[in-house]
């Protein structure tokens, strides 16, 4: 298949290090890179039992290390040994609710971990590009519903968002170092809540729904009126790789958003679409609360830069992304399909959408 990412492997000429490769986005990213003929090496903590990585049996499928990004010597050694051309840094403590319980660890992992990776990348003679995966939650959000542009102010209220703003401060510092002293090109990529087959994280809407649907239990849902830029996991991942390709060609990008094109859906609408697709056995109890102090209630991203610069556009709108996610899980739980084939089907569809 002739996709616009076909030149990536040649431009790289060496491996991509994916940190967080045992996580949800990291597993999908590894599969996508493999499909594009790119060698991947991985550095992460050991996988969780019900993760997509484990369900796919990904252990030892690539050169990988289960270790902590807070351990500088270990990060340095791994980069020295594997000589990646590019680093896509996903490893993080990514959960807002968890960050209230473990704020210090969240900051250590998300800020110091990013600093360790950046510092090690700048000591490596092989690394040409560094993409750090942050989030739409880095923008200063007054819950007014405006769509954030890359140039908007950053500020995080909850510990997770604040730690990602901290990681952005480190990214900006190393971008300045690259300008003054040379070094890899560093980019911050910001995307919203992703969904897709295989996500089993706690306190996330879609995994909570799937856990309940697959066990025949009633699902309790909070904050029905909150909106989020829901998108299929492959849409920002393809955006990250188009960004990487552009940067490797010598073009300059410092930060870039990847969000849905249409207005964000409310939690209530997501629940309706997901329940309809699963079928009559899906039972959801929506709490009538109008909001929570723990998470921002309105969030929109402006992706114009990605559209204009990279000709990027989502392969799925939000409704189809939800339906595709439910189809993946129905295939897995009900039809007992091989999860590899389910992932492959979605990857081929997404690549077809950016075919030249
Ligand atoms: N999932 C989303 O909706 C979403 C939205 C916006 C941004 N992001 C960002 O994308 C990235 C990946 O998120 P995800 O949903 O795949 O999360 P995940 O929890 O599924 O995966 C996290 C990964 O990071 C690794 N990790 C965590 N702490 C580590 C440490 N101390 N040392 C080494 N590895 C460590 C884990 O082993 C795992 O591989 C994160 O940076 C997250 O902030 C995710």
């Amino acid at each position: 298949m002739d996709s616009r990412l076909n030149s990536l492997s040649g431009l790289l000429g060496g491996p991509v290090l994916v940190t967080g490769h045992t996580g949800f986005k990291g597993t999908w990213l590894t599969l996508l890179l493999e499909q594009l003929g790119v060698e991947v090496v991985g550095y992460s903590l050991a996988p969780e039992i019900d993760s997509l990585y484990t369900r796919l049996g990904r252990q030892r499928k690539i050169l990988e290390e289960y270790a902590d990004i807070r351990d500088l010597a270990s990060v340095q050694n791994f980069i020295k040994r594997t000589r990646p051309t590019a680093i896509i840094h996903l490893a993080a403590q990514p959960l807002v609710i968890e960050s209230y319980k473990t704020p210090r660890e969240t900051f250590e992992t998300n800020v110091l971990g990013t600093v360790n990776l950046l510092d090690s990348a700048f000591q490596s003679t092989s690394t040409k590009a560094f993409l750090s995966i942050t989030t739409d939650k880095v923008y200063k959000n007054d819950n007014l519903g405006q769509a954030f542009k890359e140039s908007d102010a950053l500020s995080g209220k909850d510990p997770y968002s604040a730690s990602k703003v901290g990681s952005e401060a480190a990214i900006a510092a190393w971008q300045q170092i690259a300008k003054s002293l040379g070094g890899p090109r560093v980019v911050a990529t910001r995307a919203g809540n992703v969904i897709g087959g295989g996500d089993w994280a706690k306190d996330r809407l879609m995994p909570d729904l799937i856990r309940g649907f697959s066990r025949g239990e009633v699902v309790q849902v909070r904050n029905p009126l909150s909106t989020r830029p829901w998108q299929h996991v492959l849409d920002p991942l393809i955006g990250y790789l188009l960004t990487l390709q552009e940067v490797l060609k010598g073009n300059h990008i410092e930060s870039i958003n990847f969000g849905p094109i249409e207005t964000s859906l409310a939690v209530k609408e997501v629940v309706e679409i997901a329940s309809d697709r699963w079928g009559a056995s899906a039972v959801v109890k929506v709490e009538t609360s109008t909001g929570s102090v723990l998470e921002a209630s309105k969030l929109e991203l402006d992706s114009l830069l990605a559209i204009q610069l990279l000709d990027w556009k989502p392969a799925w709108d939000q409704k189809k992304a939800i339906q595709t996610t439910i189809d993946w899980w129905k295939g897995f739980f009900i039809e007992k399909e091989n999860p590899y084939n389910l992932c492959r089907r979605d990857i081929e569809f997404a690549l077809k959408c950016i075919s030249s």
Side-chain angles (χ1 to χ4, degrees), residues 269-280:
E269 295 166 295
V270 174
V271 169
E272 280 162 16
I273 297 165
S275 311
D276 280 355
R277 193 70 167 193
W278 186 273

Side-chain angles (χ1 to χ4, degrees), residues 84-236:
T85 307
I87 298 175
I88 305 184
H89 175 43
L90 289 155
Q93 191 304 93
L95 303 171
V96 175
I97 308 270
E98 177 65 26
S99 76
Y100 279 91
K101 298 176 204 149
T102 59
R104 194 184 59 79
E105 290 83 349
T106 300
F107 267 80
E108 259 190 357
T109 299
N110 296 358
V111 184
L112 190 61
T114 302
V115 167
N116 286 345
L117 260 306
L118 282 164
D119 198 50
S120 307
F122 272 65
Q123 284 171 27
S124 149
T125 50
S126 65
T127 307
K128 296 181 194 151
F130 187 106
L131 256 62
S132 202
I133 308 311
T134 74
T135 166
D136 54 3
K137 296 188 178 70
V138 292
Y139 290 110
K140 186 170 189 305
N141 190 351
D142 297 322
N143 281 327
L144 298 174
Q146 82 268 34
F148 295 107
K149 290 195 200 59
E150 288 81 357
S151 53
D152 284 339
L154 306 187
S155 173
K157 271 191 195 140
D158 64 81
Y160 166 72
S161 307
S163 74
K164 284 288 188 174
V165 174
S167 83
E168 292 253 5
I171 292 160
W174 264 269
Q175 284 171 336
Q176 187 59 28
I177 294 171
K179 271 185 210 149
S180 335
L181 306 174
R185 286 162 191 273
V186 181
V187 187
T189 60
R190 302 170 188 150
N193 280 34
V194 291
I195 57 177
D199 192 8
W200 203 249
K202 42 179 187 170
D203 299 326
R204 277 187 189 155
L205 177 59
M206 198 55 89
D208 284 347
L209 292 175
I210 300 293
R211 267 187 288 274
F213 294 173
S214 63
R215 293 170 186 159
E217 291 168 5
V218 178
V219 188
Q220 305 265 2
V221 169
R222 61 180 199 270
N223 306 328
L225 302 181
S226 286
T227 63
R228 292 278 178 277
W230 310 96
Q231 55 189 337
H232 193 278
V233 60
L234 284 166
D235 279 326

Side-chain angles (χ1 to χ4, degrees), residues 335-351:
E335 279 113 48
K336 310 283 178 214
E337 281 184 63
N338 179 333
Y340 246 112
N341 296 340
L342 294 167
C343 292
R344 185 61 60 82
R345 188 187 61 197
D346 291 344
I347 287 172
E348 280 173 5
F349 176 78
L351 288 176

